[in-house]
Amino acid sequence: MRIVSSFAAVLLAGVTLSACATAGPDRAAASFDAARISEDIRILSSDAFEGRGIATPAEDKVVQYLSTQYAAAGFQPGGPNGQWTQDVILNRFVQSNVRASLKLGDWSLPMTQGREVAISTRRPAQHVSLKDAPLVFVGYGITAPERNWNDFKGQDLRGKILVVLVNDADFDEPALNTFGGKAMTYYGRWTYKYEEAAKHGAAGVLIVHETAPASYGWATVANSWGVPQFDILRPNAAAERVPMEGWIQRDVAVDLFRRAGLDFEALKVQARSRDFQPVALPGAGFSTEFDVATNQVTSHNVIARLPGTTHPDETVLYTAHWDHIGMGEPDATGDRIFNGAVDNASGTAGLLELARMYGRSPRTERSVVMISFTAEESGLLGSEYYAVNPVYPLAKTVGGFNMDSMNVYGRVAELGVTGYGQSDFDERLAAAIQPQGRTLAPDYENAAGTYYRSDHFPLAKRGVPMAYAGSRGDFRDEPIAQRQADRAEYGAKRYHQAADEWSPNWDYRGMMEDLTVFYDVGRALANGRDWPEWKTGSEFAPVRATTAAQRR
């Protein structure tokens, strides 16, 4: 376990943070407690929880721990039929004996899973076998009629392997502003690339990994695709999933293009234009074989509810995912448990602290619901399942707050809003941070596509206003350089690595300031008659408008 420098120690046993700069009579007894937060993270990210893999024995431990803590906070079971959980039925795919190779004329390249390629499937099968499938470069693999954009140009791509760039066409040239500039759209997400390829009957997809546009290194890909994959049950999976989903190392792709007489960098530039045409890689073929064990599993969203006093049918949501990626191949130290302390035991601990705050304060008029989602790391599947099968009607869900990978490095100057400009949560959050002396940081250049990468998104795209915000900006307390280094080191070396482990020396003051904001804004909504609104131009506003009559 890595221990960060001792500057971050904050006397956990005695450190608390008031819920408001001037606590009102309904909150005088309530406070956030760093020691409790630290203990929740420590327990949930301990080796005993085996990386919180879904549908593993560790899941039972997570459900038991969360339900016990929610009950102790004064919440009631919020799932169907008076249960703490909502069943989330998934298909589980375990690939083994993976072999892959490229071939072009007399040249061939055997590729190793996790080294040159990362291959998986989310299509029910016992065996996947592709032999010398032709490869076609389709740019960013996007069909966006509203932007007059089509990377496929009507070509027959059935049975072919699509080579695709990560992110979207504005990343390297944001001045084009075809897809909103530097900020990634959903078209840039790997999930979209696979979904769109399936519509064209492709045999598979190889996304060319590049660290900057992906926003994470190859190790993150190898770890995430080297463990079992999951998907919700689909009535026609063969039409919605390609047989092979994969990534390929950039250097391998560049060499392949060169051998095919093509210039990878030149084609990347061409792919930024609406006039781009798919380009076959002459003579190149891709082969892979692997076994697939497919079985149906049931995972669980953990749901806790505090019924409202006068409008219990109206719900304020707080969400975070409890899962991580479980156990995988050992790292250089021999550690194979992906503990997920920051991602996302920290957000889960934040939910529990908010529940304790609400439980110790006077009951609100609207209901407050905490959802610990499963299967976020498998593609937002727990939140997707809830959004399709809501326990509480989405039309009367007031709005909510999603927490993913919270700040454990100290107080900062700003609150960053991911998806800034989407809803009037912007203004509500800006007002709530004023007592803290912080400013709002609009996330204009969200090149990592973070707005589409966490559990608020399935709810937002079905019309529920969701705030996704967290600590941003410069640190406010010394030693600033060390705090900056630790924060940067997490992203470079610990995100989705076995090294994402709890430290007894973390500084939770910044996290508690964020929790204060989420509590203040949420409590005001829970005691009021306001309904947060999507702003003009948001793609989610028309969906919400269809249920407006139910909120009068």
Side-chain angles (χ1 to χ4, degrees):
M1 177 182 297
R2 176 187 176 278
I3 305 298
V4 300
S5 57
S6 61
F7 81 85
V10 289
L11 301 176
L12 293 179
V15 173
T16 61
L17 187 70
S18 170
C20 183
T22 307
D26 63 338
R27 295 182 289 183
S31 59
F32 295 116
D33 189 306
R36 286 194 305 252
I37 292 171
S38 182
E39 183 67 358
D40 286 332
I41 297 175
R42 184 191 70 81
I43 291 172
L44 288 166
S45 64
S46 69
D47 284 358
F49 281 71
E50 298 180 333
R52 300 189 306 282
I54 66 176
T56 69
E59 176 166 344
D60 294 336
K61 294 181 180 180
V62 175
V63 171
Q64 177 64 32
Y65 185 81
L66 295 181
S67 57
T68 298
Q69 296 301 316
Y70 282 132
F75 276 62
Q76 301 175 4
N81 304 314
Q83 303 174 139
W84 284 107
T85 58
Q86 177 190 35
D87 290 352
V88 177
I89 304 171
L90 305 171
N91 273 329
R92 180 176 186 263
F93 307 95
V94 181
Q95 63 270 5
S96 59
N97 303 317
V98 178
R99 289 169 289 176
S101 63
L102 291 169
K103 183 178 180 181
L104 200 163
D106 296 334
W107 173 82
S108 64
L109 176 69
M111 295 186 290
T112 302
Q113 172 80 332
R115 187 180 302 167
E116 293 87 6
V117 290
I119 292 171
S120 65
T121 189
R122 287 181 292 167
R123 184 174 181 175
Q126 292 183 325
H127 187 76
V128 173
S129 179
L130 301 172
K131 179 67 172 175
D132 294 331
L135 294 107
V136 181
F137 176 63
V138 293
Y140 290 92
I142 294 172
T143 303
E146 77 284 1
R147 291 173 165 85
N148 191 27
W149 192 280
N150 185 347
D151 280 329
F152 301 96
K153 302 297 192 296
Q155 292 199 20
D156 184 359
L157 300 170
R158 289 173 294 180
K160 298 178 181 178
I161 303 297
L162 307 188
V163 182
V164 182
L165 299 171
V166 72
N167 213 304
D168 57 45
D170 285 1
F171 178 81
D172 286 310
E173 199 171 346
L176 293 173
N177 204 34
T178 310
F179 290 87
K182 197 76 170 179
M184 184 194 289
T185 63
Y186 186 58
Y187 295 119
R189 290 285 290 139
W190 59 266
T191 49
Y192 171 82
K193 314 286 186 182
Y194 297 144
E195 292 163 2
E196 189 63 22
K199 296 176 183 177
H200 292 271
V205 179
L206 288 173
I207 300 174
V208 180
H209 176 265
E210 296 184 278
T211 298
S215 81
Y216 40 75
W218 178 257
T220 296
V221 174
N223 290 334
S224 299
W225 269 258
V227 296
Q229 304 297 301
F230 295 86
D231 196 12
I232 62 173
L233 291 181
R234 297 180 184 274
N236 187 7
E240 299 181 61
R241 295 297 185 202
V242 291
M244 190 277 297
E245 300 177 348
W247 292 72
I248 187 169
Q249 285 266 35
R250 181 189 184 279
D251 290 347
V252 177
V254 170
D255 185 46
L256 172 66
F257 277 54
R258 180 184 62 81
R259 292 176 183 275
L262 301 171
D263 184 326
F264 177 78
E265 287 300 328
L267 285 173
K268 275 187 66 177
V269 174
Q270 293 177 30
R272 299 172 201 162
S273 168
R274 288 186 173 90
D275 297 328
F276 168 81
Q277 295 283 337
V279 178
L281 278 66
F286 172 83
S287 299
T288 187
E289 282 197 66
F290 55 96
D291 297 321
V292 185
T294 305
N295 64 302
Q296 192 176 112
V297 300
T298 301
S299 189
H300 303 88
N301 292 328
V302 182
I303 307 178
R305 181 173 183 255
L306 200 61
T309 56
T310 56
H311 302 285
D313 61 329
E314 299 173 1
T315 301
V316 174
L317 277 182
Y318 290 90
T319 67
H321 71 93
W322 63 256
D323 68 297
H324 198 52
I325 56 179
M327 301 175 68
E329 293 299 316
D331 66 8
T333 70
D335 191 353
R336 60 187 298 261
I337 298 176
F338 293 80
N339 303 81
V342 173
D343 183 14
N344 187 32
S346 65
T348 301
L351 273 188
L352 295 177
E353 259 314 89
L354 284 163
R356 293 171 185 132
M357 179 72 84
Y358 274 103
R360 294 172 60 186
S361 302
R363 191 73 60 87
T364 56
E365 297 175 12
R366 287 165 158 167
S367 296
V368 175
V369 171
M370 308 281 172
I371 308 181
S372 299
F373 285 124
T374 185
E376 189 270 354
E377 301 289 5
S378 301
L380 317 183
L381 299 182
S383 52
E384 177 72 15
Y385 192 91
Y386 180 88
V388 173
N389 305 279
V391 179
Y392 305 100
L394 300 187
K396 288 201 170 184
T397 298
V398 178
F401 307 82
N402 183 52
M403 296 174 290
D404 197 345
S405 298
M406 300 194 76
N407 170 22
V408 295
Y409 303 109
R411 299 189 309 150
V412 293
E414 300 171 330
L415 180 77
V417 178
T418 301
Y420 180 86
Q422 289 280 3
S423 78
D424 65 21
F425 266 118
D426 298 345
E427 288 71 31
R428 298 173 193 272
L429 294 170
I433 61 176
Q434 286 183 357
Q436 298 174 350
R438 300 163 74 192
T439 57
L440 203 69
D443 229 339
Y444 284 120
E445 295 191 348
N446 184 18
T450 311
Y451 193 73
Y452 309 98
R453 288 172 55 178
S454 196
D455 284 318
H456 60 283
F457 180 58
L459 292 157
K461 71 181 180 180
R462 290 172 176 84
V464 179
M466 294 291 294
Y468 186 34
S471 294
R472 293 284 192 282
D474 296 333
F475 287 101
R476 294 153 62 192
D477 303 298
E478 292 291 346
I480 290 173
Q482 184 62 58
R483 295 178 191 274
Q484 290 173 334
D486 285 340
R487 183 171 62 183
E489 188 261 359
Y490 171 79
K493 297 182 179 179
R494 292 196 292 131
Y495 172 65
H496 276 217
Q497 309 296 312
D500 185 4
E501 299 201 42
W502 170 82
S503 167
N505 295 323
W506 278 335
D507 183 341
Y508 296 98
R509 289 176 292 173
M511 175 177 171
M512 291 190 292
E513 284 193 333
D514 291 348
L515 291 175
T516 297
V517 172
F518 303 153
Y519 180 82
D520 286 348
V521 177
R523 189 171 183 89
L525 287 171
N527 274 328
R529 300 305 304 143
D530 281 356
W531 297 89
E533 298 287 346
W534 296 105
K535 293 183 177 179
T536 302
S538 169
E539 62 265 46
F540 310 118
V543 182
R544 187 67 161 177
T546 63
T547 60
Q550 300 180 50
R551 291 186 294 278
R552 291 176 179 169

